[in-house]
Amino acid sequence: MLESSGLIVTPEMDKPPVLEVTGLRKRFGDQVALDGVDLKVYEGEVVAVLGPSGSGKSTLVRCIDQLESIDGGAMFLDGELLGFEMSHGHLRPLTDSARKRQQRRMSMVFQQFNLFPHWTVLRNVTEAPMAVHGASAAEARERAMELLRRVGLEDKANAYPRHLSGGQQQRVAIARSAAVDPRILLFDEPTSALDPELVDEVLQTIKKLASTGRTMVVVTHEMEFARNVADRCVFMDAGRVVEERPADDFFEDPRSERLRAFLARSGRSPREVRG
Amino acid sequence: MTNTPVATAPAIDVATARRRIRPARIIGGTLILIVTLSVLWFLVSNERFEWNVVAEYLFNPSVLLGLGVSLMLTVVCMVLGSILGTVLAAGQLSDFWPVKAASITFVGVFRGIPPLVQLIFWFNLAYLLPRITFGVPFGPEFFSWETNSLITPLTAAIIGLSLHEAAYMAEIVRAGMLSVDQGQHDAASAMGFGRWHTFSRIVLPQAMRVIIPPTGSQVIALLKGTSLVSVIAMGDLLHAVQVIYNRTYEVVPMLIVAVIWYLVVVTVLTLIQRRVEQHFGRGSARDGMRRPIRRVREAN
């Protein structure tokens, strides 16, 4: 598996997981978005989350990053309960500032990039390290330039986001997320808002980042990418995890009927993928 | 020119084309010219304007003092109103319902009461509340003042106009904050920015593009609104010229003096507003274009 994905770093499955989600439930009104999701992500592991639209995969990463409130289950980051604590004998939501402290240990790349349009590319990347992680201006700048070099955009440091193409904006967003050295990097359909010819540059950037041993959860529709980059693939449907396998098995030997149908619909029957 | 097809294109060069004759524009332009000339003629020929009196009093010290008072009131009430208005806007968007209800009620009440009524009310506050005290309700008092020693024309004017302004600014700031894409809140939250950091560095600067144009109009409205304080004997620009014409009976020329100053200040304010709009258009205006920006999404 590792040879085929070209990864150097081996996920450390013997240690406790970086992220553990147990029985996660989330409703939007009457609509059940997540119906008891379990997920473990280990150090250095890249997990791809696939599934049809509306299967709850975006909601899952948004819940993990505490952008949505959750209705049940629990999530742990390095063994620490996310979003709640025992207080006066009961589980209660964290204070704002405690929740912010947890959010600072994760970061997220959005479908719509969500760069701050009134700031230059450089400031977008340096703001969080300086404002919430206590980096000095020089440190933050040096680190930001290094990251921008890695995503191939060091010459755009002083441009404003709207002067960049969608692919470039998303690469800046990736640099911004990586700049805070998160324990886990979450990607919410990072290429779905891009023109087809721009998808590849973003996928290459994510792949490069994955090869440095970062722990990542990537919600995506890009099958080829999931197969090449992820260690493990998770298939979600109707708010549940239907199948969860090492990447190669996932595509070559899907067990559930629903995953088989999904792969067929996506134009990849198991046989085609093998070739 | 005919519509008959020809074998080869006729030798025509549109560079020789002349301007099209547009009768409606000629008529309209002429009418505007006639009206402009007659207004000018009216201003110049009508001796009752007494332009010499206007010139004599335009830079009169008490007129300039009144102008200063009007400007001071505008600045003070705008600053207080903007701060309180921003707090009220945040309150109206709060997810804690008592704060939300209180903010909405405050805005509703103070936007609904005419500023003139408020000024007279605040000026006569002593009738309702002879003493102002700070202390535990129904308990001990810590500080206490005679209302009449606190409520002067100046304080009544500042309270009345600031509260009125705050109610309007609350609506303007709220609209601005709502114009900022939800994705910006998500991104700020995901990076772990605190509430104040998110509000002051991310939401407000982007909301400014929506907030500035109506705020410019509010400043202008407030400047003109300061003329209301003349009813509580506050020495603003209008009150200054009233004092003079009550003595000299030169009502029209003195009002012209006031009008000139109001127009001068409003013009300057408008120019400042354009500059500020340009500043906050950063990162979203097309390069070199001067216009208020609405397309927030486009920039994302």
Side-chain angles (χ1 to χ4, degrees), chain A residues 62 65 96 100 103-104 114-119 127 131 162-163 169, chain B residues 183-184 186-187 189-190 192-193 195 197 201 206 283-284 287 298 300:
Chain A
R62 290 180 59 83
D65 207 18
D96 246 17
K100 296 279 173 207
Q103 284 178 315
R104 284 169 199 169
N114 295 343
L115 292 176
F116 302 122
H118 57 305
W119 288 342
E127 182 73 8
R162 71 159 286 137
H163 296 134
Q169 290 192 43
Chain B
Q184 295 289 308
D186 284 350
S189 181
F193 293 163
R195 271 176 189 237
H197 189 98
R201 307 262 189 90
Q206 294 184 63
S284 65
D287 292 359
E298 201 183 326
N300 291 330

PDB file of all heavy atoms in Angstrom, chain A residues 62 65 96 100 103-104 114-119 127 131 162-163 169, chain B residues 183-184 186-187 189-190 192-193 195 197 201 206 283-284 287 298 300:
ATOM      1  N   ARG A  62     -16.904  19.431   9.554  1.00  0.00           N
ATOM      2  CA  ARG A  62     -17.306  20.693  10.196  1.00  0.00           C
ATOM      3  C   ARG A  62     -17.589  20.481  11.688  1.00  0.00           C
ATOM      4  O   ARG A  62     -17.303  21.348  12.505  1.00  0.00           O
ATOM      5  CB  ARG A  62     -18.513  21.317   9.489  1.00  0.00           C
ATOM      6  CG  ARG A  62     -18.170  21.866   8.091  1.00  0.00           C
ATOM      7  CD  ARG A  62     -19.383  22.482   7.415  1.00  0.00           C
ATOM      8  NE  ARG A  62     -19.963  23.577   8.176  1.00  0.00           N
ATOM      9  CZ  ARG A  62     -19.510  24.821   8.141  1.00  0.00           C
ATOM     10  NH1 ARG A  62     -18.507  25.127   7.357  1.00  0.00           N
ATOM     11  NH2 ARG A  62     -20.083  25.750   8.867  1.00  0.00           N
ATOM     12  N   ASP A  65     -14.229  20.128  13.539  1.00  0.00           N
ATOM     13  CA  ASP A  65     -13.587  21.430  13.756  1.00  0.00           C
ATOM     14  C   ASP A  65     -14.442  22.358  14.622  1.00  0.00           C
ATOM     15  O   ASP A  65     -14.133  23.531  14.790  1.00  0.00           O
ATOM     16  CB  ASP A  65     -13.291  22.110  12.410  1.00  0.00           C
ATOM     17  CG  ASP A  65     -12.101  23.052  12.511  1.00  0.00           C
ATOM     18  OD1 ASP A  65     -11.323  22.935  13.477  1.00  0.00           O
ATOM     19  OD2 ASP A  65     -11.961  23.917  11.638  1.00  0.00           O
ATOM     20  N   ASP A  96     -16.236  29.671  25.567  1.00  0.00           N
ATOM     21  CA  ASP A  96     -15.757  30.119  24.262  1.00  0.00           C
ATOM     22  C   ASP A  96     -14.244  29.991  24.133  1.00  0.00           C
ATOM     23  O   ASP A  96     -13.737  29.473  23.140  1.00  0.00           O
ATOM     24  CB  ASP A  96     -16.124  31.589  24.080  1.00  0.00           C
ATOM     25  CG  ASP A  96     -17.129  31.764  22.973  1.00  0.00           C
ATOM     26  OD1 ASP A  96     -17.749  30.745  22.592  1.00  0.00           O
ATOM     27  OD2 ASP A  96     -17.277  32.898  22.496  1.00  0.00           O
ATOM     28  N   LYS A 100     -11.967  27.718  21.654  1.00  0.00           N
ATOM     29  CA  LYS A 100     -11.007  28.315  20.711  1.00  0.00           C
ATOM     30  C   LYS A 100      -9.651  27.643  20.842  1.00  0.00           C
ATOM     31  O   LYS A 100      -8.972  27.409  19.849  1.00  0.00           O
ATOM     32  CB  LYS A 100     -10.840  29.815  20.996  1.00  0.00           C
ATOM     33  CG  LYS A 100     -12.092  30.619  20.789  1.00  0.00           C
ATOM     34  CD  LYS A 100     -12.304  30.939  19.345  1.00  0.00           C
ATOM     35  CE  LYS A 100     -13.652  31.606  19.153  1.00  0.00           C
ATOM     36  NZ  LYS A 100     -14.196  31.385  17.817  1.00  0.00           N
ATOM     37  N   GLN A 103      -9.773  24.520  18.980  1.00  0.00           N
ATOM     38  CA  GLN A 103      -9.825  24.747  17.528  1.00  0.00           C
ATOM     39  C   GLN A 103      -8.453  25.106  16.981  1.00  0.00           C
ATOM     40  O   GLN A 103      -8.141  24.804  15.831  1.00  0.00           O
ATOM     41  CB  GLN A 103     -10.825  25.857  17.198  1.00  0.00           C
ATOM     42  CG  GLN A 103     -12.255  25.378  17.291  1.00  0.00           C
ATOM     43  CD  GLN A 103     -13.255  26.485  17.008  1.00  0.00           C
ATOM     44  OE1 GLN A 103     -13.109  27.596  17.509  1.00  0.00           O
ATOM     45  NE2 GLN A 103     -14.263  26.200  16.207  1.00  0.00           N
ATOM     46  N   ARG A 104      -7.639  25.742  17.819  1.00  0.00           N
ATOM     47  CA  ARG A 104      -6.306  26.146  17.338  1.00  0.00           C
ATOM     48  C   ARG A 104      -5.391  24.961  17.095  1.00  0.00           C
ATOM     49  O   ARG A 104      -4.351  25.101  16.474  1.00  0.00           O
ATOM     50  CB  ARG A 104      -5.653  27.083  18.373  1.00  0.00           C
ATOM     51  CG  ARG A 104      -6.247  28.455  18.319  1.00  0.00           C
ATOM     52  CD  ARG A 104      -5.827  29.308  19.468  1.00  0.00           C
ATOM     53  NE  ARG A 104      -6.770  30.420  19.579  1.00  0.00           N
ATOM     54  CZ  ARG A 104      -6.835  31.243  20.596  1.00  0.00           C
ATOM     55  NH1 ARG A 104      -6.017  31.097  21.605  1.00  0.00           N
ATOM     56  NH2 ARG A 104      -7.716  32.214  20.609  1.00  0.00           N
ATOM     57  N   ASN A 114     -12.390  30.658   1.440  1.00  0.00           N
ATOM     58  CA  ASN A 114     -12.590  31.547   2.588  1.00  0.00           C
ATOM     59  C   ASN A 114     -11.323  32.262   3.029  1.00  0.00           C
ATOM     60  O   ASN A 114     -11.071  32.429   4.212  1.00  0.00           O
ATOM     61  CB  ASN A 114     -13.183  30.790   3.777  1.00  0.00           C
ATOM     62  CG  ASN A 114     -14.566  30.271   3.488  1.00  0.00           C
ATOM     63  OD1 ASN A 114     -15.206  30.725   2.534  1.00  0.00           O
ATOM     64  ND2 ASN A 114     -15.041  29.329   4.264  1.00  0.00           N
ATOM     65  N   LEU A 115     -10.532  32.712   2.061  1.00  0.00           N
ATOM     66  CA  LEU A 115      -9.415  33.594   2.408  1.00  0.00           C
ATOM     67  C   LEU A 115     -10.003  34.915   2.873  1.00  0.00           C
ATOM     68  O   LEU A 115     -11.142  35.244   2.550  1.00  0.00           O
ATOM     69  CB  LEU A 115      -8.515  33.818   1.198  1.00  0.00           C
ATOM     70  CG  LEU A 115      -7.731  32.601   0.725  1.00  0.00           C
ATOM     71  CD1 LEU A 115      -6.947  32.938  -0.532  1.00  0.00           C
ATOM     72  CD2 LEU A 115      -6.794  32.101   1.812  1.00  0.00           C
ATOM     73  N   PHE A 116      -9.223  35.668   3.648  1.00  0.00           N
ATOM     74  CA  PHE A 116      -9.697  36.974   4.090  1.00  0.00           C
ATOM     75  C   PHE A 116      -9.395  37.979   2.982  1.00  0.00           C
ATOM     76  O   PHE A 116      -8.233  38.298   2.730  1.00  0.00           O
ATOM     77  CB  PHE A 116      -9.034  37.356   5.411  1.00  0.00           C
ATOM     78  CG  PHE A 116      -9.288  36.328   6.495  1.00  0.00           C
ATOM     79  CD1 PHE A 116      -8.244  35.694   7.135  1.00  0.00           C
ATOM     80  CD2 PHE A 116     -10.589  35.978   6.844  1.00  0.00           C
ATOM     81  CE1 PHE A 116      -8.481  34.735   8.117  1.00  0.00           C
ATOM     82  CE2 PHE A 116     -10.835  35.021   7.818  1.00  0.00           C
ATOM     83  CZ  PHE A 116      -9.782  34.400   8.448  1.00  0.00           C
ATOM     84  N   PRO A 117     -10.436  38.478   2.294  1.00  0.00           N
ATOM     85  CA  PRO A 117     -10.203  39.207   1.039  1.00  0.00           C
ATOM     86  C   PRO A 117      -9.553  40.577   1.243  1.00  0.00           C
ATOM     87  O   PRO A 117      -8.988  41.124   0.317  1.00  0.00           O
ATOM     88  CB  PRO A 117     -11.614  39.371   0.464  1.00  0.00           C
ATOM     89  CG  PRO A 117     -12.520  39.279   1.634  1.00  0.00           C
ATOM     90  CD  PRO A 117     -11.857  38.326   2.603  1.00  0.00           C
ATOM     91  N   HIS A 118      -9.640  41.118   2.466  1.00  0.00           N
ATOM     92  CA  HIS A 118      -9.092  42.459   2.694  1.00  0.00           C
ATOM     93  C   HIS A 118      -7.629  42.417   3.099  1.00  0.00           C
ATOM     94  O   HIS A 118      -7.045  43.461   3.376  1.00  0.00           O
ATOM     95  CB  HIS A 118      -9.932  43.196   3.732  1.00  0.00           C
ATOM     96  CG  HIS A 118     -10.041  42.457   5.040  1.00  0.00           C
ATOM     97  ND1 HIS A 118     -10.498  41.162   5.125  1.00  0.00           N
ATOM     98  CD2 HIS A 118      -9.746  42.832   6.296  1.00  0.00           C
ATOM     99  CE1 HIS A 118     -10.484  40.776   6.395  1.00  0.00           C
ATOM    100  NE2 HIS A 118     -10.034  41.768   7.119  1.00  0.00           N
ATOM    101  N   TRP A 119      -7.055  41.204   3.168  1.00  0.00           N
ATOM    102  CA  TRP A 119      -5.643  41.075   3.525  1.00  0.00           C
ATOM    103  C   TRP A 119      -4.858  40.483   2.366  1.00  0.00           C
ATOM    104  O   TRP A 119      -5.380  39.714   1.575  1.00  0.00           O
ATOM    105  CB  TRP A 119      -5.482  40.151   4.733  1.00  0.00           C
ATOM    106  CG  TRP A 119      -5.937  40.747   6.010  1.00  0.00           C
ATOM    107  CD1 TRP A 119      -6.135  42.063   6.279  1.00  0.00           C
ATOM    108  CD2 TRP A 119      -6.288  40.041   7.208  1.00  0.00           C
ATOM    109  NE1 TRP A 119      -6.575  42.222   7.564  1.00  0.00           N
ATOM    110  CE2 TRP A 119      -6.678  41.006   8.152  1.00  0.00           C
ATOM    111  CE3 TRP A 119      -6.284  38.698   7.565  1.00  0.00           C
ATOM    112  CZ2 TRP A 119      -7.073  40.659   9.436  1.00  0.00           C
ATOM    113  CZ3 TRP A 119      -6.677  38.357   8.849  1.00  0.00           C
ATOM    114  CH2 TRP A 119      -7.064  39.332   9.777  1.00  0.00           C
ATOM    115  N   GLU A 127      -1.383  35.723   9.935  1.00  0.00           N
ATOM    116  CA  GLU A 127      -2.254  36.245  10.998  1.00  0.00           C
ATOM    117  C   GLU A 127      -2.445  35.277  12.163  1.00  0.00           C
ATOM    118  O   GLU A 127      -2.247  35.645  13.318  1.00  0.00           O
ATOM    119  CB  GLU A 127      -3.627  36.642  10.419  1.00  0.00           C
ATOM    120  CG  GLU A 127      -4.577  37.238  11.439  1.00  0.00           C
ATOM    121  CD  GLU A 127      -4.208  38.653  11.857  1.00  0.00           C
ATOM    122  OE1 GLU A 127      -3.289  39.242  11.254  1.00  0.00           O
ATOM    123  OE2 GLU A 127      -4.856  39.176  12.780  1.00  0.00           O
ATOM    124  N   ALA A 131      -1.336  36.122  15.768  1.00  0.00           N
ATOM    125  CA  ALA A 131      -2.385  36.596  16.670  1.00  0.00           C
ATOM    126  C   ALA A 131      -2.778  35.557  17.725  1.00  0.00           C
ATOM    127  O   ALA A 131      -3.127  35.921  18.835  1.00  0.00           O
ATOM    128  CB  ALA A 131      -3.616  37.021  15.872  1.00  0.00           C
ATOM    129  N   ARG A 162      -8.317  38.272  -4.403  1.00  0.00           N
ATOM    130  CA  ARG A 162      -9.161  38.323  -5.592  1.00  0.00           C
ATOM    131  C   ARG A 162      -8.364  38.436  -6.896  1.00  0.00           C
ATOM    132  O   ARG A 162      -8.909  38.264  -7.976  1.00  0.00           O
ATOM    133  CB  ARG A 162     -10.207  39.439  -5.505  1.00  0.00           C
ATOM    134  CG  ARG A 162      -9.677  40.824  -5.627  1.00  0.00           C
ATOM    135  CD  ARG A 162     -10.797  41.769  -6.033  1.00  0.00           C
ATOM    136  NE  ARG A 162     -11.152  41.600  -7.424  1.00  0.00           N
ATOM    137  CZ  ARG A 162     -12.378  41.556  -7.900  1.00  0.00           C
ATOM    138  NH1 ARG A 162     -13.379  41.658  -7.098  1.00  0.00           N
ATOM    139  NH2 ARG A 162     -12.597  41.432  -9.185  1.00  0.00           N
ATOM    140  N   HIS A 163      -7.084  38.705  -6.775  1.00  0.00           N
ATOM    141  CA  HIS A 163      -6.274  38.751  -7.990  1.00  0.00           C
ATOM    142  C   HIS A 163      -5.687  37.393  -8.347  1.00  0.00           C
ATOM    143  O   HIS A 163      -4.916  37.276  -9.289  1.00  0.00           O
ATOM    144  CB  HIS A 163      -5.160  39.786  -7.838  1.00  0.00           C
ATOM    145  CG  HIS A 163      -5.702  41.173  -7.686  1.00  0.00           C
ATOM    146  ND1 HIS A 163      -5.244  42.054  -6.735  1.00  0.00           N
ATOM    147  CD2 HIS A 163      -6.705  41.805  -8.326  1.00  0.00           C
ATOM    148  CE1 HIS A 163      -5.931  43.173  -6.803  1.00  0.00           C
ATOM    149  NE2 HIS A 163      -6.826  43.045  -7.764  1.00  0.00           N
ATOM    150  N   GLN A 169      -5.831  30.527  -4.980  1.00  0.00           N
ATOM    151  CA  GLN A 169      -6.437  30.875  -3.689  1.00  0.00           C
ATOM    152  C   GLN A 169      -6.474  29.666  -2.767  1.00  0.00           C
ATOM    153  O   GLN A 169      -6.179  29.762  -1.582  1.00  0.00           O
ATOM    154  CB  GLN A 169      -7.862  31.400  -3.889  1.00  0.00           C
ATOM    155  CG  GLN A 169      -7.913  32.767  -4.538  1.00  0.00           C
ATOM    156  CD  GLN A 169      -9.307  33.386  -4.447  1.00  0.00           C
ATOM    157  OE1 GLN A 169      -9.959  33.332  -3.426  1.00  0.00           O
ATOM    158  NE2 GLN A 169      -9.764  33.969  -5.540  1.00  0.00           N
TER     159      GLN A 169
ATOM    160  N   GLY B 183     -18.728  32.151   5.330  1.00  0.00           N
ATOM    161  CA  GLY B 183     -17.434  31.477   5.207  1.00  0.00           C
ATOM    162  C   GLY B 183     -16.329  32.210   5.952  1.00  0.00           C
ATOM    163  O   GLY B 183     -15.385  31.590   6.443  1.00  0.00           O
ATOM    164  N   GLN B 184     -16.445  33.531   6.047  1.00  0.00           N
ATOM    165  CA  GLN B 184     -15.450  34.311   6.774  1.00  0.00           C
ATOM    166  C   GLN B 184     -15.517  34.009   8.265  1.00  0.00           C
ATOM    167  O   GLN B 184     -14.499  33.922   8.932  1.00  0.00           O
ATOM    168  CB  GLN B 184     -15.677  35.813   6.528  1.00  0.00           C
ATOM    169  CG  GLN B 184     -15.455  36.219   5.087  1.00  0.00           C
ATOM    170  CD  GLN B 184     -13.989  36.161   4.721  1.00  0.00           C
ATOM    171  OE1 GLN B 184     -13.154  36.730   5.395  1.00  0.00           O
ATOM    172  NE2 GLN B 184     -13.671  35.458   3.655  1.00  0.00           N
ATOM    173  N   ASP B 186     -16.640  31.167   9.477  1.00  0.00           N
ATOM    174  CA  ASP B 186     -16.131  29.799   9.598  1.00  0.00           C
ATOM    175  C   ASP B 186     -14.609  29.807   9.640  1.00  0.00           C
ATOM    176  O   ASP B 186     -13.995  29.161  10.497  1.00  0.00           O
ATOM    177  CB  ASP B 186     -16.582  28.949   8.397  1.00  0.00           C
ATOM    178  CG  ASP B 186     -18.039  28.545   8.504  1.00  0.00           C
ATOM    179  OD1 ASP B 186     -18.637  28.760   9.570  1.00  0.00           O
ATOM    180  OD2 ASP B 186     -18.576  28.019   7.512  1.00  0.00           O
ATOM    181  N   ALA B 187     -14.006  30.537   8.687  1.00  0.00           N
ATOM    182  CA  ALA B 187     -12.546  30.546   8.605  1.00  0.00           C
ATOM    183  C   ALA B 187     -11.947  31.122   9.884  1.00  0.00           C
ATOM    184  O   ALA B 187     -11.008  30.561  10.445  1.00  0.00           O
ATOM    185  CB  ALA B 187     -12.087  31.350   7.386  1.00  0.00           C
ATOM    186  N   SER B 189     -13.269  31.237  12.823  1.00  0.00           N
ATOM    187  CA  SER B 189     -13.515  30.322  13.919  1.00  0.00           C
ATOM    188  C   SER B 189     -12.565  29.130  13.843  1.00  0.00           C
ATOM    189  O   SER B 189     -11.988  28.697  14.850  1.00  0.00           O
ATOM    190  CB  SER B 189     -14.975  29.873  13.856  1.00  0.00           C
ATOM    191  OG  SER B 189     -15.271  29.003  14.889  1.00  0.00           O
ATOM    192  N   ALA B 190     -12.363  28.610  12.620  1.00  0.00           N
ATOM    193  CA  ALA B 190     -11.481  27.457  12.446  1.00  0.00           C
ATOM    194  C   ALA B 190     -10.044  27.794  12.827  1.00  0.00           C
ATOM    195  O   ALA B 190      -9.300  26.931  13.280  1.00  0.00           O
ATOM    196  CB  ALA B 190     -11.536  26.969  10.999  1.00  0.00           C
ATOM    197  N   GLY B 192      -9.295  29.685  15.178  1.00  0.00           N
ATOM    198  CA  GLY B 192      -9.275  29.900  16.618  1.00  0.00           C
ATOM    199  C   GLY B 192      -9.201  31.360  17.014  1.00  0.00           C
ATOM    200  O   GLY B 192      -8.819  31.679  18.131  1.00  0.00           O
ATOM    201  N   PHE B 193      -9.576  32.267  16.104  1.00  0.00           N
ATOM    202  CA  PHE B 193      -9.595  33.681  16.467  1.00  0.00           C
ATOM    203  C   PHE B 193     -10.696  33.918  17.497  1.00  0.00           C
ATOM    204  O   PHE B 193     -11.784  33.355  17.383  1.00  0.00           O
ATOM    205  CB  PHE B 193      -9.889  34.568  15.246  1.00  0.00           C
ATOM    206  CG  PHE B 193      -8.796  34.566  14.218  1.00  0.00           C
ATOM    207  CD1 PHE B 193      -9.042  35.010  12.931  1.00  0.00           C
ATOM    208  CD2 PHE B 193      -7.524  34.139  14.537  1.00  0.00           C
ATOM    209  CE1 PHE B 193      -8.037  35.012  11.976  1.00  0.00           C
ATOM    210  CE2 PHE B 193      -6.505  34.140  13.586  1.00  0.00           C
ATOM    211  CZ  PHE B 193      -6.774  34.577  12.304  1.00  0.00           C
ATOM    212  N   ARG B 195     -13.596  36.141  19.661  1.00  0.00           N
ATOM    213  CA  ARG B 195     -14.740  36.916  19.171  1.00  0.00           C
ATOM    214  C   ARG B 195     -14.358  38.329  18.761  1.00  0.00           C
ATOM    215  O   ARG B 195     -14.749  38.829  17.720  1.00  0.00           O
ATOM    216  CB  ARG B 195     -15.799  37.036  20.271  1.00  0.00           C
ATOM    217  CG  ARG B 195     -16.776  35.917  20.271  1.00  0.00           C
ATOM    218  CD  ARG B 195     -17.707  36.075  21.443  1.00  0.00           C
ATOM    219  NE  ARG B 195     -18.509  34.881  21.555  1.00  0.00           N
ATOM    220  CZ  ARG B 195     -19.837  34.888  21.534  1.00  0.00           C
ATOM    221  NH1 ARG B 195     -20.494  36.022  21.445  1.00  0.00           N
ATOM    222  NH2 ARG B 195     -20.502  33.770  21.622  1.00  0.00           N
ATOM    223  N   HIS B 197     -11.361  39.557  18.115  1.00  0.00           N
ATOM    224  CA  HIS B 197     -10.426  39.531  16.985  1.00  0.00           C
ATOM    225  C   HIS B 197     -11.209  39.346  15.680  1.00  0.00           C
ATOM    226  O   HIS B 197     -10.991  40.052  14.698  1.00  0.00           O
ATOM    227  CB  HIS B 197      -9.444  38.373  17.181  1.00  0.00           C
ATOM    228  CG  HIS B 197      -8.309  38.379  16.215  1.00  0.00           C
ATOM    229  ND1 HIS B 197      -7.088  38.887  16.515  1.00  0.00           N
ATOM    230  CD2 HIS B 197      -8.219  37.944  14.944  1.00  0.00           C
ATOM    231  CE1 HIS B 197      -6.277  38.768  15.486  1.00  0.00           C
ATOM    232  NE2 HIS B 197      -6.948  38.196  14.508  1.00  0.00           N
ATOM    233  N   ARG B 201     -11.117  42.550  13.282  1.00  0.00           N
ATOM    234  CA  ARG B 201     -10.140  42.450  12.199  1.00  0.00           C
ATOM    235  C   ARG B 201     -10.710  41.818  10.937  1.00  0.00           C
ATOM    236  O   ARG B 201     -10.151  41.991   9.864  1.00  0.00           O
ATOM    237  CB  ARG B 201      -8.939  41.613  12.635  1.00  0.00           C
ATOM    238  CG  ARG B 201      -8.311  42.061  13.909  1.00  0.00           C
ATOM    239  CD  ARG B 201      -7.102  42.929  13.645  1.00  0.00           C
ATOM    240  NE  ARG B 201      -6.393  43.179  14.892  1.00  0.00           N
ATOM    241  CZ  ARG B 201      -5.429  42.398  15.337  1.00  0.00           C
ATOM    242  NH1 ARG B 201      -5.046  41.355  14.645  1.00  0.00           N
ATOM    243  NH2 ARG B 201      -4.836  42.673  16.460  1.00  0.00           N
ATOM    244  N   GLN B 206     -14.565  44.221   6.571  1.00  0.00           N
ATOM    245  CA  GLN B 206     -15.277  43.854   5.343  1.00  0.00           C
ATOM    246  C   GLN B 206     -16.664  44.472   5.314  1.00  0.00           C
ATOM    247  O   GLN B 206     -17.171  44.825   4.248  1.00  0.00           O
ATOM    248  CB  GLN B 206     -15.380  42.337   5.230  1.00  0.00           C
ATOM    249  CG  GLN B 206     -14.027  41.693   5.037  1.00  0.00           C
ATOM    250  CD  GLN B 206     -14.157  40.205   4.821  1.00  0.00           C
ATOM    251  OE1 GLN B 206     -14.747  39.757   3.855  1.00  0.00           O
ATOM    252  NE2 GLN B 206     -13.609  39.431   5.733  1.00  0.00           N
ATOM    253  N   GLY B 283      -8.725  45.243  -1.842  1.00  0.00           N
ATOM    254  CA  GLY B 283      -8.840  43.797  -1.929  1.00  0.00           C
ATOM    255  C   GLY B 283     -10.105  43.333  -2.601  1.00  0.00           C
ATOM    256  O   GLY B 283     -10.283  42.160  -2.828  1.00  0.00           O
ATOM    257  N   SER B 284     -11.019  44.264  -2.923  1.00  0.00           N
ATOM    258  CA  SER B 284     -12.195  43.786  -3.621  1.00  0.00           C
ATOM    259  C   SER B 284     -12.596  44.680  -4.782  1.00  0.00           C
ATOM    260  O   SER B 284     -13.239  44.216  -5.705  1.00  0.00           O
ATOM    261  CB  SER B 284     -13.369  43.648  -2.667  1.00  0.00           C
ATOM    262  OG  SER B 284     -13.734  44.892  -2.192  1.00  0.00           O
ATOM    263  N   ASP B 287      -9.103  47.174  -9.772  1.00  0.00           N
ATOM    264  CA  ASP B 287      -8.029  48.164  -9.667  1.00  0.00           C
ATOM    265  C   ASP B 287      -8.420  49.475 -10.323  1.00  0.00           C
ATOM    266  O   ASP B 287      -8.880  49.502 -11.446  1.00  0.00           O
ATOM    267  CB  ASP B 287      -6.760  47.633 -10.334  1.00  0.00           C
ATOM    268  CG  ASP B 287      -6.199  46.478  -9.536  1.00  0.00           C
ATOM    269  OD1 ASP B 287      -6.792  46.145  -8.491  1.00  0.00           O
ATOM    270  OD2 ASP B 287      -5.191  45.924  -9.951  1.00  0.00           O
ATOM    271  N   GLU B 298     -17.634  37.752  -4.414  1.00  0.00           N
ATOM    272  CA  GLU B 298     -16.717  37.683  -5.532  1.00  0.00           C
ATOM    273  C   GLU B 298     -15.267  37.628  -5.063  1.00  0.00           C
ATOM    274  O   GLU B 298     -14.423  37.004  -5.674  1.00  0.00           O
ATOM    275  CB  GLU B 298     -16.920  38.926  -6.395  1.00  0.00           C
ATOM    276  CG  GLU B 298     -16.426  38.773  -7.801  1.00  0.00           C
ATOM    277  CD  GLU B 298     -16.593  40.062  -8.544  1.00  0.00           C
ATOM    278  OE1 GLU B 298     -17.579  40.785  -8.264  1.00  0.00           O
ATOM    279  OE2 GLU B 298     -15.747  40.365  -9.374  1.00  0.00           O
ATOM    280  N   ASN B 300     -14.172  36.251  -2.439  1.00  0.00           N
ATOM    281  CA  ASN B 300     -13.755  35.058  -1.692  1.00  0.00           C
ATOM    282  C   ASN B 300     -13.029  34.045  -2.542  1.00  0.00           C
ATOM    283  O   ASN B 300     -13.522  33.180  -3.112  1.00  0.00           O
ATOM    284  CB  ASN B 300     -14.975  34.415  -1.034  1.00  0.00           C
ATOM    285  CG  ASN B 300     -15.483  35.287   0.068  1.00  0.00           C
ATOM    286  OD1 ASN B 300     -14.704  36.002   0.695  1.00  0.00           O
ATOM    287  ND2 ASN B 300     -16.781  35.281   0.309  1.00  0.00           N
TER     288      ASN B 300
END
